[in-house]
Every structure is written in structure tokens, then in C-alpha cells.
Amino acid sequence: MAIPALLAGVVEPVISLTDLVIVGRIPFDKTEIIAAVGIAASLISAITWILAQTSSAISSIVSRYLGSKRLHELDSLVVQTFIFSLMMSSVVVIATRYFSVEIFKLYNANGKILNYAVDYFRIRIWGFPFSLITFTLYGVFRGLQNTIWSMYIGLIGGFLHIFLDILLVFGIPGIIPAMNIEGAAYASLITQVLMCMVAIYFFIKKTPFKLNPGKSINPELYNLMSLSINLFLRAAALNFSFYLANRYATGYGKEQIAAHAIIANIFLLIAFVIDGYGNAGNAISGKLLGSKDFKKLWLLGIDLSKIVLVVALVIMVFCGAGYFYIGKIFTSDVHVLKFFYQTFWILILMLPINALAFSFDAIYKGLGEAIFLRNLLIGSTFLAFIPSLWLFDHLNMELYGIWAAFTIFMLYRCIGSIWKFKAKYQ
């Protein structure tokens, strides 16, 4: 289950990373464009993380009902969840697009960086409702213990996006005009729409559910909304940390925000890679809870921890071996690369901590432990990250300080998750 979930999950960060790689080849304003796309992409990822928590909520519910052999009771829930997601995403799109200039000014963006970020964001944000529906369907598939369908959708989307990115950014002389940064945004938008259409096809053809909202509200919708709201608050706290990091990095100069944007998007890619195993744990833990098999639940936590640690170590070796090549994939600007190489090692060293935190996050989502996850993230943000960021900024550590603060943030999450799991399920 994990490998297909991994391939499906990495598409969203790959879209952002591909945009960064491609726009970094535009022959003008390279540093400003990379910084702008990095900021805008991280904001879209933040919004996606916050609202895509519905995916984890519905996965938890579907897997529990699968474990207790009561799937027929959820016939109307899935379509009602679509409606719920579509309403939320429409409000977010309208609000963020209308206030995009003011939002990016909060990131300390100005001049060309502000203009490019707004141009990119105002196009790509239209794809958000389609992404949210796709992630919701991923949650349904995962709850049914199937991640193959999501993998197919993700691979189709990933390859399509790379092709469209190159085509629309640089164009074809005499046939398609070069659209530069707007071309990258349109490539992402088209990819998200087509991925959503394929996901709906799999839902109609492959699942036992029907596109029928029913005549009354499904009783589980209230539980789903409760889970989602707590997970929204959790994700909001998480992304407040990313917002502060971007704001501080922008204040340190355009080269530092460009370097930070590259590292942050690599962080997100690695998070989604590790989260592929977490998503498998998410589906299995929900099923084990439904069948009340707590012994296997404990063993799942142990086995998953071992696997993700090995995955983290493999990624560390890969990043270490390619340390002075990875940055050059994104930019040739020597000033940006200097800050990237000075800081990237911190992300590499924190990967085992991240791996454990992400895997237990997913298990708790499958168990419906949304309140614990909410409190853990609020604590890690306001008790660990923000005080550390303020202190390191006061010590003039700049990018070092941002990523050192992220390390403390992830350590808080990791220790809290393991302590809770051991106390409750050992």
C-alpha cells in the first residue's frame, strides 16, 4: 500500500518543484522569479494541507466501516463530503485571489517578487477546488485499502505537468508563445483539472459507492466535520510556522528567500515521500481500530517506525552524495547557492525525526485522534517553533535560525507522538 501511496502523494510537491526548476531557466529576473514562485507555491501547499485534512478524516471513517463490515452505511457520505469540500474551497479561492497582493505583502514580498508571486498565484489557485476533490477521493480509496488508483492518477498528473510546464513556459517558436511564469501556473492548473476528472472516473467505476447525496444528512458527516475542523486547526498551526519562516527569510534578502524556498519545497517533497508509508499506516490503523485488534495496532506502530527510519536514512545518503548538485537543479545564481549550501545540511540531519513524526501523525489520523494532533501541533508551533525562531533571529542566525527552529519544532512533534502511542497502546 505504501509505494503506490508514495507515488500518488508526491505529485503536489513535485508540481511546485517542477515549476521552480523550469522557471529558474527563464532568462531574466531569475532570483526574483524563484523567490516569487517559491513563496506562492508554499502558500498554495499551506492552503492545501489545511483543507485537504478532509481526506484523512474520510479515510479514517471508511477504513473503520470496512473493518466492521458496514460500508453500505456510507453510501451518501462521500458525495456529501464532496459538496462540503467544494463549498470550502470556493470560499478560499475567492478570498485569497481577491486579497493576494495583501497576503504576499504579509510575507514581506515587494517589487518584482510581489508582482511575480501574484501573477503565478492568481492563475494556479483556480486549480485548488479540483485538487481538494482529488485528495478527498484519495482518502476514500485509501480507506478501502487501495492506493493503486491514486498512484495511477498521480503518475499521469506528474508526467503531464512536466510536459505542459516546458511547453507553456518556453513555448514553440511560431506556434505557441512563451508564457514564462504564467505558463508554469497554467500547466499546474490544467494538470489539477485533469487529475480530478480521472479520480472521479475511478470513483464511479471502481468503488462500491454511488454519486448520490441521499435525501438526508449522513450521521457520519457530523463526525467527519468534527475530525476535519480539528485537523484544519492543526494544519493551520503548522502552516503558520511556514508563514513565519517565509516572512523572516524574505526580510533577510532576495537571495535568502530564494534559497529558503528551494529548501522548503524539498522539505515538502521528502515529507510526502515519507508520508506514503504514513498513508498506508493511516488506512491500516483505521481498519484495525474498527476490528478492535489493538495488538496488531501496536505492532503496526513498531514496524512502520523501522521502515520510515530506513527510508529517511536512504534519502540522507542520497542528499549527502548529491549535496553540491541538488541546488544547481533549481538555480545557477551563485549567491542563492551559497545560502542553500550553508543551510541544506540542517534539513538532511532532521530527516529521521521528521520520519517518525510523520508516520505517527498518519496513524493517529486513522485512529480519529484529531484532538490530540491539534493540541500537539499548536504546542509545537507556539511552545517550540516561535520562541526558537525569535531567539535565533535575535542572535542573527538568519537561515540557520529558521531551520534550527524547524528542527526543534519537529522534535517536539516526534517525542509527543511516540510518548502518547506508547502510553496508550503498548
Short mmCIF file of all heavy atoms in Angstrom, two decimals, residues 304-361:
data_model
loop_
_atom_site.label_atom_id
_atom_site.label_comp_id
_atom_site.label_asym_id
_atom_site.label_seq_id
_atom_site.Cartn_x
_atom_site.Cartn_y
_atom_site.Cartn_z
N LEU A 304 6.18 0.27 11.27
CA LEU A 304 6.18 1.48 10.46
C LEU A 304 7.34 2.40 10.84
O LEU A 304 7.98 3.01 9.97
CB LEU A 304 4.85 2.22 10.60
CG LEU A 304 4.61 3.40 9.66
CD1 LEU A 304 4.66 2.96 8.21
CD2 LEU A 304 3.26 4.05 9.95
N SER A 305 7.64 2.47 12.13
CA SER A 305 8.77 3.29 12.59
C SER A 305 10.09 2.80 11.99
O SER A 305 10.93 3.59 11.54
CB SER A 305 8.86 3.26 14.11
OG SER A 305 7.72 3.83 14.70
N LYS A 306 10.28 1.48 11.98
CA LYS A 306 11.51 0.91 11.42
C LYS A 306 11.63 1.22 9.93
O LYS A 306 12.70 1.60 9.43
CB LYS A 306 11.54 -0.60 11.65
CG LYS A 306 11.65 -1.01 13.11
CD LYS A 306 11.56 -2.52 13.25
CE LYS A 306 11.63 -2.96 14.71
NZ LYS A 306 11.47 -4.43 14.86
N ILE A 307 10.51 1.06 9.22
CA ILE A 307 10.53 1.27 7.77
C ILE A 307 10.86 2.72 7.43
O ILE A 307 11.71 3.00 6.59
CB ILE A 307 9.18 0.87 7.15
CG1 ILE A 307 8.99 -0.65 7.25
CG2 ILE A 307 9.10 1.30 5.69
CD1 ILE A 307 7.59 -1.12 6.91
N VAL A 308 10.17 3.68 8.09
CA VAL A 308 10.39 5.08 7.73
C VAL A 308 11.78 5.56 8.13
O VAL A 308 12.33 6.45 7.48
CB VAL A 308 9.30 6.00 8.33
CG1 VAL A 308 7.93 5.65 7.76
CG2 VAL A 308 9.29 5.97 9.85
N LEU A 309 12.36 4.97 9.18
CA LEU A 309 13.73 5.33 9.54
C LEU A 309 14.71 4.88 8.46
O LEU A 309 15.66 5.60 8.12
CB LEU A 309 14.10 4.72 10.89
CG LEU A 309 13.54 5.45 12.12
CD1 LEU A 309 13.86 4.66 13.39
CD2 LEU A 309 14.11 6.87 12.23
N VAL A 310 14.48 3.69 7.92
CA VAL A 310 15.33 3.22 6.81
C VAL A 310 15.17 4.13 5.60
O VAL A 310 16.16 4.51 4.95
CB VAL A 310 14.98 1.76 6.46
CG1 VAL A 310 15.70 1.34 5.17
CG2 VAL A 310 15.36 0.83 7.59
N VAL A 311 13.92 4.49 5.28
CA VAL A 311 13.66 5.39 4.15
C VAL A 311 14.37 6.72 4.37
O VAL A 311 15.01 7.28 3.45
CB VAL A 311 12.15 5.62 3.97
CG1 VAL A 311 11.88 6.70 2.93
CG2 VAL A 311 11.46 4.33 3.56
N ALA A 312 14.29 7.26 5.59
CA ALA A 312 14.95 8.53 5.90
C ALA A 312 16.46 8.43 5.72
O ALA A 312 17.10 9.35 5.19
CB ALA A 312 14.61 8.96 7.33
N LEU A 313 17.05 7.32 6.16
CA LEU A 313 18.50 7.15 6.03
C LEU A 313 18.91 7.06 4.56
O LEU A 313 19.95 7.61 4.16
CB LEU A 313 18.95 5.89 6.79
CG LEU A 313 18.88 5.98 8.31
CD1 LEU A 313 19.18 4.63 8.95
CD2 LEU A 313 19.86 7.03 8.83
N VAL A 314 18.10 6.39 3.74
CA VAL A 314 18.39 6.30 2.30
C VAL A 314 18.36 7.70 1.67
O VAL A 314 19.24 8.06 0.88
CB VAL A 314 17.38 5.37 1.60
CG1 VAL A 314 17.53 5.46 0.08
CG2 VAL A 314 17.59 3.93 2.05
N ILE A 315 17.36 8.49 2.03
CA ILE A 315 17.26 9.86 1.50
C ILE A 315 18.44 10.70 1.97
O ILE A 315 18.98 11.52 1.21
CB ILE A 315 15.93 10.51 1.92
CG1 ILE A 315 14.75 9.73 1.31
CG2 ILE A 315 15.86 11.97 1.47
CD1 ILE A 315 13.39 10.20 1.80
N MET A 316 18.85 10.51 3.23
CA MET A 316 20.02 11.25 3.75
C MET A 316 21.27 10.94 2.94
O MET A 316 22.04 11.85 2.59
CB MET A 316 20.25 10.89 5.22
CG MET A 316 19.19 11.42 6.18
SD MET A 316 19.45 10.86 7.88
CE MET A 316 20.88 11.86 8.36
N VAL A 317 21.47 9.66 2.63
CA VAL A 317 22.65 9.26 1.84
C VAL A 317 22.58 9.88 0.45
O VAL A 317 23.57 10.42 -0.07
CB VAL A 317 22.74 7.72 1.75
CG1 VAL A 317 23.82 7.31 0.75
CG2 VAL A 317 23.03 7.13 3.12
N PHE A 318 21.40 9.84 -0.16
CA PHE A 318 21.21 10.41 -1.50
C PHE A 318 21.49 11.91 -1.49
O PHE A 318 22.20 12.42 -2.36
CB PHE A 318 19.78 10.14 -1.97
CG PHE A 318 19.44 10.79 -3.28
CD1 PHE A 318 19.81 10.20 -4.48
CD2 PHE A 318 18.74 11.99 -3.32
CE1 PHE A 318 19.51 10.80 -5.69
CE2 PHE A 318 18.43 12.59 -4.53
CZ PHE A 318 18.82 12.00 -5.72
N CYS A 319 20.92 12.61 -0.51
CA CYS A 319 21.12 14.07 -0.44
C CYS A 319 22.57 14.42 -0.12
O CYS A 319 23.10 15.41 -0.64
CB CYS A 319 20.19 14.68 0.62
SG CYS A 319 18.45 14.66 0.18
N GLY A 320 23.19 13.61 0.73
CA GLY A 320 24.60 13.86 1.05
C GLY A 320 25.50 13.67 -0.16
O GLY A 320 26.39 14.47 -0.42
N ALA A 321 25.23 12.60 -0.92
CA ALA A 321 26.05 12.31 -2.09
C ALA A 321 25.87 13.39 -3.17
O ALA A 321 26.82 13.73 -3.88
CB ALA A 321 25.70 10.93 -2.65
N GLY A 322 24.66 13.92 -3.28
CA GLY A 322 24.39 14.92 -4.31
C GLY A 322 24.33 16.33 -3.77
O GLY A 322 23.72 17.20 -4.41
N TYR A 323 24.97 16.56 -2.62
CA TYR A 323 24.82 17.83 -1.92
C TYR A 323 25.09 19.04 -2.80
O TYR A 323 24.32 20.01 -2.80
CB TYR A 323 25.76 17.86 -0.71
CG TYR A 323 25.43 18.94 0.29
CD1 TYR A 323 24.49 18.71 1.30
CD2 TYR A 323 26.03 20.20 0.22
CE1 TYR A 323 24.17 19.70 2.22
CE2 TYR A 323 25.72 21.18 1.15
CZ TYR A 323 24.79 20.94 2.14
OH TYR A 323 24.46 21.92 3.04
N PHE A 324 26.17 19.00 -3.59
CA PHE A 324 26.56 20.18 -4.37
C PHE A 324 25.98 20.16 -5.79
O PHE A 324 26.36 20.98 -6.63
CB PHE A 324 28.08 20.30 -4.42
CG PHE A 324 28.68 20.64 -3.08
CD1 PHE A 324 29.28 19.66 -2.30
CD2 PHE A 324 28.59 21.93 -2.58
CE1 PHE A 324 29.81 19.98 -1.05
CE2 PHE A 324 29.11 22.25 -1.33
CZ PHE A 324 29.72 21.27 -0.57
N TYR A 325 25.06 19.21 -6.04
CA TYR A 325 24.39 19.16 -7.34
C TYR A 325 22.91 19.52 -7.23
O TYR A 325 22.33 20.02 -8.20
CB TYR A 325 24.53 17.75 -7.95
CG TYR A 325 25.97 17.36 -8.21
CD1 TYR A 325 26.67 16.60 -7.28
CD2 TYR A 325 26.62 17.76 -9.38
CE1 TYR A 325 28.00 16.24 -7.51
CE2 TYR A 325 27.95 17.41 -9.61
CZ TYR A 325 28.62 16.64 -8.68
OH TYR A 325 29.94 16.30 -8.91
N ILE A 326 22.32 19.24 -6.07
CA ILE A 326 20.88 19.44 -5.90
C ILE A 326 20.49 20.90 -6.11
O ILE A 326 19.54 21.22 -6.82
CB ILE A 326 20.42 18.94 -4.51
CG1 ILE A 326 20.58 17.42 -4.45
CG2 ILE A 326 18.98 19.35 -4.23
CD1 ILE A 326 20.31 16.81 -3.08
N GLY A 327 21.23 21.82 -5.48
CA GLY A 327 20.90 23.24 -5.62
C GLY A 327 20.97 23.71 -7.06
O GLY A 327 20.16 24.55 -7.50
N LYS A 328 21.92 23.16 -7.84
CA LYS A 328 22.10 23.60 -9.22
C LYS A 328 20.96 23.15 -10.13
O LYS A 328 20.83 23.66 -11.25
CB LYS A 328 23.43 23.08 -9.76
CG LYS A 328 24.63 23.71 -9.07
CD LYS A 328 25.95 23.13 -9.57
CE LYS A 328 27.13 23.76 -8.84
NZ LYS A 328 28.43 23.18 -9.26
N ILE A 329 20.14 22.20 -9.66
CA ILE A 329 18.96 21.80 -10.42
C ILE A 329 17.98 22.97 -10.51
O ILE A 329 17.28 23.14 -11.51
CB ILE A 329 18.27 20.59 -9.76
CG1 ILE A 329 19.19 19.36 -9.81
CG2 ILE A 329 16.93 20.27 -10.43
CD1 ILE A 329 18.66 18.18 -9.03
N PHE A 330 17.97 23.80 -9.46
CA PHE A 330 16.99 24.87 -9.35
C PHE A 330 17.50 26.23 -9.83
O PHE A 330 16.73 27.05 -10.32
CB PHE A 330 16.51 25.00 -7.90
CG PHE A 330 15.86 23.76 -7.37
CD1 PHE A 330 16.60 22.81 -6.69
CD2 PHE A 330 14.51 23.53 -7.58
CE1 PHE A 330 16.01 21.65 -6.21
CE2 PHE A 330 13.91 22.39 -7.11
CZ PHE A 330 14.66 21.44 -6.43
N THR A 331 18.79 26.49 -9.64
CA THR A 331 19.30 27.82 -9.98
C THR A 331 20.81 27.76 -10.24
O THR A 331 21.51 26.87 -9.73
CB THR A 331 19.03 28.83 -8.85
OG1 THR A 331 19.50 30.11 -9.22
CG2 THR A 331 19.70 28.41 -7.56
N SER A 332 21.27 28.72 -11.01
CA SER A 332 22.71 28.86 -11.23
C SER A 332 23.25 30.10 -10.53
O SER A 332 24.44 30.41 -10.63
CB SER A 332 23.00 28.95 -12.74
OG SER A 332 22.30 30.04 -13.32
N ASP A 333 22.39 30.81 -9.80
CA ASP A 333 22.78 32.03 -9.10
C ASP A 333 23.73 31.67 -7.94
O ASP A 333 23.34 30.98 -6.99
CB ASP A 333 21.54 32.74 -8.57
CG ASP A 333 21.85 34.12 -7.99
OD1 ASP A 333 22.73 34.21 -7.11
OD2 ASP A 333 21.20 35.10 -8.40
N VAL A 334 24.96 32.14 -8.00
CA VAL A 334 25.97 31.73 -7.01
C VAL A 334 25.63 32.24 -5.62
O VAL A 334 25.97 31.60 -4.61
CB VAL A 334 27.37 32.23 -7.43
CG1 VAL A 334 27.83 31.53 -8.68
CG2 VAL A 334 27.39 33.75 -7.62
N HIS A 335 24.95 33.38 -5.52
CA HIS A 335 24.60 33.93 -4.21
C HIS A 335 23.51 33.08 -3.55
O HIS A 335 23.56 32.81 -2.34
CB HIS A 335 24.16 35.38 -4.35
CG HIS A 335 25.19 36.28 -4.95
ND1 HIS A 335 26.36 36.59 -4.30
CD2 HIS A 335 25.24 36.91 -6.16
CE1 HIS A 335 27.09 37.40 -5.07
NE2 HIS A 335 26.44 37.60 -6.20
N VAL A 336 22.52 32.67 -4.34
CA VAL A 336 21.46 31.80 -3.82
C VAL A 336 22.06 30.46 -3.42
O VAL A 336 21.75 29.92 -2.35
CB VAL A 336 20.35 31.62 -4.87
CG1 VAL A 336 19.30 30.61 -4.36
CG2 VAL A 336 19.68 32.95 -5.19
N LEU A 337 22.92 29.91 -4.27
CA LEU A 337 23.54 28.61 -3.98
C LEU A 337 24.38 28.67 -2.71
O LEU A 337 24.42 27.69 -1.95
CB LEU A 337 24.39 28.17 -5.17
CG LEU A 337 23.62 27.72 -6.42
CD1 LEU A 337 24.58 27.48 -7.58
CD2 LEU A 337 22.81 26.46 -6.11
N LYS A 338 25.05 29.79 -2.47
CA LYS A 338 25.86 29.91 -1.25
C LYS A 338 24.99 29.72 -0.02
O LYS A 338 25.33 28.94 0.88
CB LYS A 338 26.55 31.28 -1.21
CG LYS A 338 27.44 31.47 0.02
CD LYS A 338 27.96 32.89 0.13
CE LYS A 338 26.88 33.83 0.63
NZ LYS A 338 27.42 35.18 0.99
N PHE A 339 23.85 30.40 0.05
CA PHE A 339 22.96 30.27 1.20
C PHE A 339 22.32 28.88 1.26
O PHE A 339 22.10 28.33 2.35
CB PHE A 339 21.87 31.35 1.16
CG PHE A 339 22.38 32.73 1.44
CD1 PHE A 339 22.37 33.71 0.46
CD2 PHE A 339 22.88 33.05 2.69
CE1 PHE A 339 22.85 34.99 0.72
CE2 PHE A 339 23.37 34.32 2.97
CZ PHE A 339 23.36 35.29 1.97
N PHE A 340 22.04 28.31 0.09
CA PHE A 340 21.46 26.96 0.06
C PHE A 340 22.43 25.95 0.66
O PHE A 340 22.06 25.15 1.53
CB PHE A 340 21.13 26.58 -1.40
CG PHE A 340 20.64 25.16 -1.56
CD1 PHE A 340 19.31 24.84 -1.33
CD2 PHE A 340 21.51 24.15 -1.93
CE1 PHE A 340 18.86 23.54 -1.47
CE2 PHE A 340 21.07 22.85 -2.08
CZ PHE A 340 19.74 22.53 -1.85
N TYR A 341 23.70 25.97 0.21
CA TYR A 341 24.68 25.01 0.70
C TYR A 341 25.02 25.22 2.18
O TYR A 341 25.33 24.27 2.89
CB TYR A 341 25.97 25.09 -0.13
CG TYR A 341 25.79 24.67 -1.57
CD1 TYR A 341 26.38 25.38 -2.61
CD2 TYR A 341 25.00 23.57 -1.90
CE1 TYR A 341 26.21 24.99 -3.93
CE2 TYR A 341 24.83 23.18 -3.23
CZ TYR A 341 25.42 23.89 -4.24
OH TYR A 341 25.26 23.52 -5.54
N GLN A 342 24.93 26.45 2.64
CA GLN A 342 25.21 26.72 4.05
C GLN A 342 24.12 26.17 4.97
O GLN A 342 24.37 25.97 6.17
CB GLN A 342 25.33 28.23 4.26
CG GLN A 342 26.62 28.85 3.74
CD GLN A 342 26.66 30.35 3.92
OE1 GLN A 342 25.66 30.98 4.28
NE2 GLN A 342 27.81 30.96 3.64
N THR A 343 22.93 25.92 4.44
CA THR A 343 21.78 25.59 5.29
C THR A 343 21.19 24.21 5.05
O THR A 343 20.62 23.62 5.96
CB THR A 343 20.66 26.64 5.07
OG1 THR A 343 21.22 27.96 5.09
CG2 THR A 343 19.60 26.54 6.14
N PHE A 344 21.33 23.68 3.86
CA PHE A 344 20.65 22.44 3.47
C PHE A 344 20.98 21.27 4.40
O PHE A 344 20.15 20.38 4.61
CB PHE A 344 21.00 22.11 2.01
CG PHE A 344 20.26 20.93 1.45
CD1 PHE A 344 18.88 20.81 1.57
CD2 PHE A 344 20.95 19.93 0.77
CE1 PHE A 344 18.20 19.72 1.04
CE2 PHE A 344 20.28 18.85 0.22
CZ PHE A 344 18.90 18.74 0.37
N TRP A 345 22.18 21.24 4.96
CA TRP A 345 22.60 20.13 5.82
C TRP A 345 21.70 19.98 7.05
O TRP A 345 21.53 18.86 7.57
CB TRP A 345 24.05 20.31 6.26
CG TRP A 345 24.32 21.54 7.06
CD1 TRP A 345 24.66 22.77 6.59
CD2 TRP A 345 24.26 21.67 8.49
NE1 TRP A 345 24.81 23.66 7.62
CE2 TRP A 345 24.58 23.02 8.80
CE3 TRP A 345 23.96 20.80 9.53
CZ2 TRP A 345 24.61 23.49 10.11
CZ3 TRP A 345 24.00 21.26 10.84
CH2 TRP A 345 24.32 22.60 11.12
N ILE A 346 21.10 21.08 7.49
CA ILE A 346 20.22 21.00 8.67
C ILE A 346 19.00 20.16 8.34
O ILE A 346 18.57 19.31 9.14
CB ILE A 346 19.80 22.41 9.15
CG1 ILE A 346 21.03 23.25 9.50
CG2 ILE A 346 18.86 22.30 10.35
CD1 ILE A 346 20.70 24.68 9.91
N LEU A 347 18.42 20.38 7.16
CA LEU A 347 17.27 19.57 6.73
C LEU A 347 17.65 18.10 6.64
O LEU A 347 16.88 17.23 7.08
CB LEU A 347 16.76 20.07 5.38
CG LEU A 347 15.67 19.22 4.71
CD1 LEU A 347 14.45 19.09 5.61
CD2 LEU A 347 15.29 19.79 3.36
N ILE A 348 18.82 17.81 6.12
CA ILE A 348 19.25 16.41 5.99
C ILE A 348 19.33 15.73 7.36
O ILE A 348 18.85 14.61 7.55
CB ILE A 348 20.61 16.33 5.26
CG1 ILE A 348 20.46 16.84 3.82
CG2 ILE A 348 21.13 14.90 5.26
CD1 ILE A 348 21.77 16.92 3.06
N LEU A 349 19.92 16.41 8.33
CA LEU A 349 20.10 15.82 9.66
C LEU A 349 18.78 15.61 10.40
O LEU A 349 18.69 14.72 11.26
CB LEU A 349 21.04 16.69 10.50
CG LEU A 349 22.52 16.73 10.05
CD1 LEU A 349 23.32 17.60 11.00
CD2 LEU A 349 23.10 15.33 9.99
N MET A 350 17.76 16.41 10.09
CA MET A 350 16.50 16.28 10.81
C MET A 350 15.57 15.23 10.22
O MET A 350 14.49 14.96 10.76
CB MET A 350 15.78 17.64 10.87
CG MET A 350 15.28 18.15 9.55
SD MET A 350 14.74 19.91 9.60
CE MET A 350 13.16 19.78 10.40
N LEU A 351 15.97 14.56 9.12
CA LEU A 351 15.06 13.64 8.44
C LEU A 351 14.58 12.46 9.29
O LEU A 351 13.41 12.09 9.22
CB LEU A 351 15.71 13.13 7.15
CG LEU A 351 15.82 14.17 6.02
CD1 LEU A 351 16.48 13.57 4.79
CD2 LEU A 351 14.45 14.73 5.67
N PRO A 352 15.43 11.80 10.11
CA PRO A 352 14.90 10.71 10.94
C PRO A 352 13.82 11.20 11.92
O PRO A 352 12.84 10.49 12.17
CB PRO A 352 16.14 10.21 11.70
CG PRO A 352 17.29 10.59 10.83
CD PRO A 352 16.90 11.90 10.21
N ILE A 353 14.01 12.39 12.48
CA ILE A 353 13.00 12.97 13.37
C ILE A 353 11.70 13.19 12.61
O ILE A 353 10.61 12.83 13.07
CB ILE A 353 13.50 14.30 13.97
CG1 ILE A 353 14.78 14.09 14.79
CG2 ILE A 353 12.42 14.95 14.84
CD1 ILE A 353 15.45 15.39 15.20
N ASN A 354 11.81 13.77 11.41
CA ASN A 354 10.64 14.01 10.57
C ASN A 354 9.91 12.71 10.26
O ASN A 354 8.68 12.64 10.30
CB ASN A 354 11.05 14.68 9.25
CG ASN A 354 11.63 16.05 9.44
OD1 ASN A 354 11.79 16.51 10.57
ND2 ASN A 354 11.94 16.72 8.36
N ALA A 355 10.68 11.68 9.92
CA ALA A 355 10.08 10.41 9.50
C ALA A 355 9.20 9.83 10.60
O ALA A 355 8.07 9.38 10.34
CB ALA A 355 11.18 9.42 9.13
N LEU A 356 9.70 9.82 11.83
CA LEU A 356 8.91 9.28 12.95
C LEU A 356 7.68 10.15 13.22
O LEU A 356 6.58 9.62 13.44
CB LEU A 356 9.78 9.19 14.20
CG LEU A 356 10.88 8.12 14.18
CD1 LEU A 356 11.77 8.25 15.40
CD2 LEU A 356 10.27 6.72 14.11
N ALA A 357 7.85 11.45 13.17
CA ALA A 357 6.71 12.35 13.43
C ALA A 357 5.62 12.17 12.37
O ALA A 357 4.43 12.07 12.70
CB ALA A 357 7.19 13.80 13.45
N PHE A 358 6.01 12.11 11.09
CA PHE A 358 5.03 11.97 10.02
C PHE A 358 4.29 10.63 10.09
O PHE A 358 3.09 10.56 9.85
CB PHE A 358 5.71 12.10 8.64
CG PHE A 358 6.30 13.45 8.37
CD1 PHE A 358 7.44 13.58 7.58
CD2 PHE A 358 5.73 14.60 8.89
CE1 PHE A 358 7.99 14.82 7.32
CE2 PHE A 358 6.27 15.85 8.65
CZ PHE A 358 7.40 15.96 7.85
N SER A 359 5.02 9.55 10.41
CA SER A 359 4.38 8.23 10.42
C SER A 359 3.36 8.11 11.56
O SER A 359 2.27 7.58 11.36
CB SER A 359 5.44 7.12 10.55
OG SER A 359 6.17 7.24 11.76
N PHE A 360 3.69 8.64 12.74
CA PHE A 360 2.74 8.57 13.84
C PHE A 360 1.57 9.54 13.63
O PHE A 360 0.45 9.26 14.05
CB PHE A 360 3.43 8.82 15.18
CG PHE A 360 4.12 7.61 15.72
CD1 PHE A 360 5.49 7.46 15.62
CD2 PHE A 360 3.38 6.59 16.32
CE1 PHE A 360 6.11 6.33 16.11
CE2 PHE A 360 4.00 5.45 16.81
CZ PHE A 360 5.38 5.32 16.70
N ASP A 361 1.83 10.66 12.97
CA ASP A 361 0.73 11.56 12.57
C ASP A 361 -0.33 10.79 11.79
O ASP A 361 -1.53 10.91 12.05
CB ASP A 361 1.26 12.69 11.68
CG ASP A 361 1.63 13.93 12.47
OD1 ASP A 361 1.55 13.90 13.71
OD2 ASP A 361 2.00 14.94 11.84
#
